[in-house]
């Protein structure tokens, strides 16, 4: 008996039109004079928040201000640069910290009750104010998802123009999960009224920091 | 499965048109989507070129669909996903149930998926003692109400805040006021969060399957697509076999047009690509990933007169643009796909005779073709379906006689003139202020207006102008 697989493949082949060449890849038409400026503006337009600071040290200072402003009591952080190796608990002793993949205790339960989740990102797309986050050792999916506020520290060298420049520079094979984040979680499912923070974070904050001289 | 006769369509359309609240809900939502789309596309450089590119990608992909599917399967397996092939709804549902039972699942969280609507998965899960919980807010609302979706993108856009408050109140066991939509959303977040964390399996559809890496791409705004693929230990994705993008470069073209065409966002809040289960060292993520490739009539469309419809990326723009959809709403089409895309797809997937009314649910104005990011010629497909209906079964002998007679008259100008001359005399009892009052049978909703024959025909006036008499 023919398997479902072979049956489907056979039927999708038998009448198929003559195949021309697959079109060549679309190349980005975007030219931004100032990638970080476009990123900040685009993210603000979709209810996200972003700022640009000159150095990693300045980024940590800005982070400290934000944690104080939020009144963060529980913070979960991905074990990835620029956080790995930094003793967060020594710097912010009043906060209860959890480092993904490192701290004892249930990561998931911690994330679900955390005020803030900290991560970096593989890339930042200027056109749409989008961050590309991935899974991997020390890089949790839930850290950027279950928390109330997601704050990302991203070096400006990871900025790229748009989706097309990102896929053109993509490395294979991909990790188990890639997520492109463009603003906080939202819905307009009730009478088209926008409500922020449905399943994901209610605030999405990106700190872009200078890493090139 | 689904069927919509002329009578069904007329009845539900008339009901929808008479429902003032529904009319304002549809008008408001489709207007928001339409203006959003125009604004979002205006920001893109060379949007026409990009749409041409999507069209070219989609048609080239379908011409080699089998090859791309094999590549997808091979890459998905290499990444550790299990791949199943389902010829129809029954096979797809059986795979899902088997997987669920194998893992002893009692609770399944679902992220919005038209494919699972198409195969009526929720009913099957329920019968097998597994509770499915929809986690897209709109889907959850209609699940609580026991209704099908009324729009591809906004499944609950027909519901008012009062109705939503009532449904949610029942769930939480106290009365929630309808005027505070952020509070209603927060209640949903709290309730669904519990389900996410307790769920045994997560079930999703797939917006795109990227063949070169075997990745399943999910696009959501709320984050349900991320949670379904992050929190439960098992993830099952059900993907129509036509949703293949050969490469990431191709997928980027879909993504650049999908959200902009549908809700008018530059990008949806979350676009997630799943390539196999969690890897060694990943702090979280599913231990098993299953992909069910759903045929359900699609393979037979490849190479047919209708295969252009397989190029659809399910953005919903054609619904928002369609003057018929705007009047009759999604439910009149039967479920799950409505609007122009549904009017083409439903008869093709579920039978033309069973869905005879749908190809006629269009004024053929072409608004859908104008907005479709894949430039699918929906009016052509609708006309083709109508022609097939007429050929196959639709005309009664009397209608056939009448059509032939009309054709004969139109071919003979003198006869035509003689008959319209008679018409001018005999229309008198029916004509009022330049309009004809149609008999009830031809005008069931009472809204049709047909102009009466003018006192004099254009041709006779033209002859006089030509001869200098006017
Ligand atoms: S037919 Fe075109 S406009 Fe309609 S949903 Fe599909 S892609 Fe969108």
């Amino acid at each position: 008996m023919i398997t479902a697989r072979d049956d489907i493949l056979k039927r999708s082949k038998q009448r198929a039109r003559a195949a021309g060449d697959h079109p060549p890849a679309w190349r980005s038409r975007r030219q931004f004079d100032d990638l970080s400026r476009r990123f900040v503006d685009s993210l603000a337009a979709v209810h996200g928040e972003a700022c640009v600071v000159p150095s990693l040290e300045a980024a940590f200072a800005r982070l400290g201000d934000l944690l104080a402003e939020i009144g963060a009591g529980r913070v979960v952080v991905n074990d990835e640069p620029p956080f790995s190796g930094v003793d967060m608990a020594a710097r912010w002793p009043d906060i209860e910290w959890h480092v993904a993949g490192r701290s004892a205790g249930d990561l998931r339960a911690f994330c679900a009750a955390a005020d803030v989740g900290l991560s970096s990102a593989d890339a930042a797309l200027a056109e749409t104010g989008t961050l590309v986050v991935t899974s991997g050792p020390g890089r949790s999916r839930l850290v950027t998802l279950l928390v109330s506020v997601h704050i990302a520290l991203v070096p400006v060298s990871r900025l790229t123009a748009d989706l097309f420049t990102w896929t053109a520079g993509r490395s294979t094979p991909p990790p188990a999960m890639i997520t492109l984040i463009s603003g906080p979680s939202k819905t307009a499912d009730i009478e088209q009224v926008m409500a922020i923070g449905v399943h994901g974070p209610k605030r999405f904050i990106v700190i872009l920091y200078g890493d090139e001289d | 499965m689904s069927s919509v006769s002329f009578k069904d369509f007329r009845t539900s359309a008339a009901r929808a048109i008479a429902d003032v609240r529904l009319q304002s809900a549809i008008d408001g939502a489709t207007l928001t989507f339409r203006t959003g789309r125009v604004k979002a596309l205006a920001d893109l450089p060379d949007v026409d070129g990009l749409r041409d590119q999507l069209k070219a990608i989609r048609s080239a992909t379908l011409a080699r669909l089998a090859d791309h599917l094999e590549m997808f399967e091979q890459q998905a397996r290499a990444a550790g996903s299990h791949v199943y092939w389902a010829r129809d709804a029954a096979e797809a549902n059986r795979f899902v149930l088997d997987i669920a039972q194998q893992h002893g699942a009692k609770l399944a969280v679902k992220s919005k998926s038209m494919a699972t609507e198409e195969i009526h998965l929720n009913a099957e899960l329920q019968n097998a003692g597994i509770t499915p919980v929809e986690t897209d807010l709109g889907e959850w609302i209609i699940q609580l109400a026991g209704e099908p979706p009324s729009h591809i993108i906004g499944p609950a856009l027909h519901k008012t805040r009062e109705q939503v408050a009532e449904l949610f109140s029942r769930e939480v066991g106290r009365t929630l006021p309808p005027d505070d939509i952020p509070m209603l959303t927060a209640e949903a977040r709290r309730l669904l969060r519990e389900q996410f964390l307790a769920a045994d399996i997560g079930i999703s559809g797939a917006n795109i399957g990227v063949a070169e890496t075997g990745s399943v791409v999910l696009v959501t705004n709320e984050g349900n697509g991320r949670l379904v693929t992050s929190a439960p230990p098992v993830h099952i994705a059900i993907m129509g076999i036509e949703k293949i993008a050969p490469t990431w470069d191709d997928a980027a073209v879909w993504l650049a047009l999908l959200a902009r065409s549908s809700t008018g966002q530059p990008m949806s809040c979350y676009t997630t690509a799943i390539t196999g289960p969690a890897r060694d060292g990943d702090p979280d993520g599913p231990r098993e990933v299953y992909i069910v490739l759903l045929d359900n009539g699609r393979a037979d469309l490849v190479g047919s007169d209708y295969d252009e419809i397989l190029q659809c990326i399910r953005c919903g723009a054609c619904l928002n643009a369609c003057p018929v959809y705007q009047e009759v709403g999604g439910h009149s089409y039967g479920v799950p796909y409505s609007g122009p895309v549904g009017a083409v797809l439903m008869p093709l997937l579920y039978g033309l005779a069973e869905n005879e009314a749908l190809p006629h649910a269009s004024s053929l104005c072409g608004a859908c073709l104008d907005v479709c990011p894949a430039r699918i010629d929906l009016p052509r497909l609708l006309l083709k379906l109508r022609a097939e209906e007429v050929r196959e079964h639709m005309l009664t002998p009397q209608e056939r006689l009448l059509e032939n007679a009309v054709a004969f008259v139109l071919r003979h100008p003198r006869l035509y003139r003689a008959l319209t001359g008679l018409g001018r005399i005999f229309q008198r009892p029916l004509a009022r202020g330049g309009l004809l009052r149609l008999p009830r049978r031809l005008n069931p909703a009472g809204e049709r207006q047909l102009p009466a024959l003018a006192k004099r025909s254009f041709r006779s006036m033209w002859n006089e102008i030509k001869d200098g008499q006017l």
Side-chain angles (χ1 to χ4, degrees):
Chain A
M1 206 190 76
I2 182 163
T3 62
R5 174 187 188 276
D6 294 344
D7 185 24
I8 294 169
L9 287 174
K10 194 180 108 212
R11 281 183 292 111
S12 53
K13 187 147 45 182
Q14 67 193 7
R15 279 193 298 180
R17 293 167 198 284
D21 288 338
H22 199 79
W26 181 264
R27 292 289 163 228
S28 173
R29 268 51 167 175
R30 286 293 194 189
Q31 287 285 332
F32 297 120
D33 295 333
D34 185 345
L35 287 173
S36 39
R37 191 181 178 98
R38 169 76 190 206
F39 183 92
V40 171
D41 291 348
S42 300
L43 187 53
V46 293
H47 307 276
E49 302 155 55
C51 63
V52 189
V53 298
S55 65
L56 178 58
E57 208 22 68
F60 271 102
R62 178 84 192 102
L63 174 62
D65 295 346
L66 282 167
L67 291 175
E69 173 210 313
I70 294 162
R74 288 161 64 95
V75 180
V76 58
V77 55
N78 267 346
D79 189 11
E80 63 178 325
F83 308 106
S84 44
V86 177
D87 189 347
M88 307 294 276
R91 189 157 182 161
W92 291 283
D94 296 338
I95 289 173
E96 191 185 340
W97 288 91
H98 187 111
V99 183
R102 201 175 275 272
S103 299
D106 185 16
L107 170 66
R108 195 159 122 138
F110 195 96
C111 288
D115 303 307
V116 177
L118 299 178
S119 79
S120 188
D122 289 22
L125 318 185
E127 181 195 48
T128 48
T130 301
L131 275 197
V132 182
V133 300
T134 55
S135 62
R139 298 201 303 282
S140 149
R141 306 175 191 218
L142 299 177
V143 163
T144 59
L145 181 56
L146 288 182
V147 298
S148 294
V149 181
H150 173 199
I151 304 177
L153 268 58
V154 184
V156 291
S157 59
R158 307 241 168 108
L159 278 164
T160 183
D162 62 7
L163 274 171
F164 302 107
T165 55
W166 172 64
T167 56
R170 189 188 60 87
S171 62
T172 44
M177 184 230 53
I178 303 174
T179 291
L180 282 66
I181 306 177
S182 314
S185 157
K186 58 170 111 39
T187 188
D189 273 344
I190 307 176
E191 288 193 3
Q192 300 288 303
V193 175
M194 161 106 66
I196 305 263
V198 195
H199 300 309
K202 296 166 189 161
R203 282 180 78 186
F204 175 57
I205 306 169
V206 179
I207 305 173
L208 292 166
Y209 62 89
D211 62 338
E212 308 158 314
D213 309 1
Chain B
M1 273 278 187
S2 265
S3 72
V4 189
S5 68
F6 279 104
K7 195 154 158 278
D8 297 339
F9 188 85
R10 279 196 193 117
T11 316
S12 37
R15 201 183 313 127
I17 289 167
D19 185 337
V20 180
R21 282 212 307 198
L22 178 64
Q23 287 298 314
S24 78
I26 304 173
D27 287 349
T30 53
L31 180 66
T32 311
F33 285 141
R34 284 200 307 274
T35 42
R37 172 187 167 275
V38 170
K39 253 181 75 185
L41 290 180
D43 179 54
L44 273 185
D46 196 9
V47 63
D48 285 325
L50 193 61
R51 287 171 68 190
D52 292 340
Q53 175 79 1
L54 180 63
K55 178 89 195 168
I57 290 171
R58 295 300 289 134
S59 58
T61 304
L62 291 167
R64 287 209 181 97
L65 183 59
D67 296 347
H68 296 305
L69 283 168
E70 282 184 280
M71 170 65 90
F72 177 83
E73 177 190 42
Q74 186 193 331
Q75 294 300 324
R77 290 218 166 113
S81 301
H82 307 273
V83 180
Y84 292 92
W85 300 74
R87 271 175 288 214
D88 53 24
E91 283 186 357
N93 285 328
R94 208 175 49 240
F95 283 134
V96 177
L97 289 185
D98 283 352
I99 298 163
Q101 273 152 359
Q102 212 176 299
H103 291 276
K106 288 270 162 288
L107 177 63
V109 281
K110 289 186 63 208
S111 102
K112 184 174 150 4
S113 149
M114 293 306 292
T116 63
E117 294 282 349
E118 183 184 321
I119 61 175
H120 298 282
L121 177 64
N122 285 2
E124 295 291 324
L125 287 169
Q126 224 130 25
N127 289 341
I130 300 161
T131 310
V133 178
E134 293 290 351
T135 60
D136 171 83
L137 190 59
E139 283 286 338
W140 192 52
I141 292 168
I142 59 169
Q143 187 186 26
L144 294 178
E147 290 174 18
S150 69
H151 189 285
I152 299 180
I153 301 302
L157 63 71
H158 59 287
K159 286 276 178 231
T160 62
R161 63 181 80 193
E162 286 79 14
Q163 292 168 320
V164 173
E166 209 179 298
L167 290 167
F168 285 11
S169 301
R170 224 168 54 202
E171 281 305 291
V172 299
R174 64 196 152 82
T175 310
L176 302 173
D179 37 17
D180 189 351
I181 288 176
M183 189 274 294
L184 289 175
T185 310
E187 282 295 333
R189 175 185 170 104
R190 195 176 55 75
L191 283 167
L192 290 172
R193 182 58 77 85
E194 291 166 16
Q195 311 275 7
F196 273 121
L197 297 176
D200 307 298
I201 51 174
I203 300 176
S204 74
N207 291 86
I208 309 174
V210 186
E212 68 173 334
T213 55
S215 311
V216 169
V217 180
L218 298 172
V219 179
T220 69
N221 270 321
E222 301 173 5
N224 45 317
R226 293 182 72 191
L227 268 167
V228 161
T229 59
S230 301
V234 177
H235 169 214
I236 308 175
I238 294 142
M239 178 176 120
I241 55 167
E242 84 283 19
K243 294 277 189 83
I244 289 279
T247 67
W248 273 97
D249 290 328
D250 295 336
V253 175
W254 288 42
L255 292 173
L257 285 169
L258 180 59
R260 288 182 168 104
S261 302
S262 105
T263 51
Q265 293 165 280
M267 285 277 282
S268 296
C269 296
Y270 303 116
T271 301
T272 297
I274 299 299
T275 313
R279 313 264 164 91
D280 284 348
D282 285 5
D284 42 30
R287 286 194 295 277
E288 305 280 351
V289 172
Y290 300 86
I291 302 167
V292 180
L293 294 172
L294 175 69
D295 171 7
N296 208 28
R298 291 164 171 83
D300 289 331
L301 291 177
V302 177
S304 75
D305 286 346
Y306 301 107
D307 69 351
E308 203 183 351
I309 198 64
L310 295 177
Q311 297 168 6
C312 172
I313 64 168
R314 304 280 189 273
C315 70
C318 58
L319 280 66
N320 305 325
C322 179
V324 174
Y325 176 88
Q326 285 167 36
E327 294 307 316
V328 305
H331 287 162
S332 299
Y333 295 78
V335 286
Y337 305 102
S338 55
V341 59
V344 173
L345 200 57
M346 303 280 290
L348 293 173
L349 296 186
Y350 300 126
L352 184 54
E354 292 77 9
N355 292 279
E356 54 174 6
L358 295 187
H360 302 268
S362 165
S363 65
L364 301 179
C365 67
C368 47
L369 170 59
D370 268 359
V371 298
C372 176
R375 300 200 191 280
I376 297 171
D377 193 345
L378 291 151
R380 180 186 69 86
L381 297 171
L382 288 165
L383 266 177
K384 260 214 142 37
L385 283 167
R386 289 186 193 179
E388 187 177 325
E389 273 185 327
V390 170
R391 233 180 9 251
E392 299 295 323
H393 66 92
M394 215 171 69
L395 286 190
T396 61
Q398 292 93 316
E399 281 171 323
R400 194 178 295 274
L401 202 68
L402 188 68
E403 299 244 319
N404 287 337
V406 171
F408 183 82
V409 171
L410 291 176
R411 276 200 307 273
H412 296 83
R414 239 190 282 177
L415 183 59
Y416 174 82
R417 275 199 294 278
L419 285 176
T420 44
L422 286 176
R424 287 198 177 84
I425 301 168
F426 286 104
Q427 76 177 358
R428 274 180 202 148
L430 295 175
R432 282 279 177 292
L435 295 173
L436 282 183
R437 280 179 310 155
L438 292 170
R440 187 100 197 127
R441 214 173 68 81
L442 296 176
N443 191 15
E447 293 197 337
R448 272 189 192 159
Q449 296 194 330
L450 204 66
L453 288 165
K455 286 209 179 68
R456 300 186 49 203
S457 77
F458 173 77
R459 180 173 289 275
S460 72
M461 287 198 273
W462 178 248
N463 286 338
E464 285 173 22
I465 293 171
K466 242 187 6 200
D467 302 343
Q469 292 177 13
L470 262 171

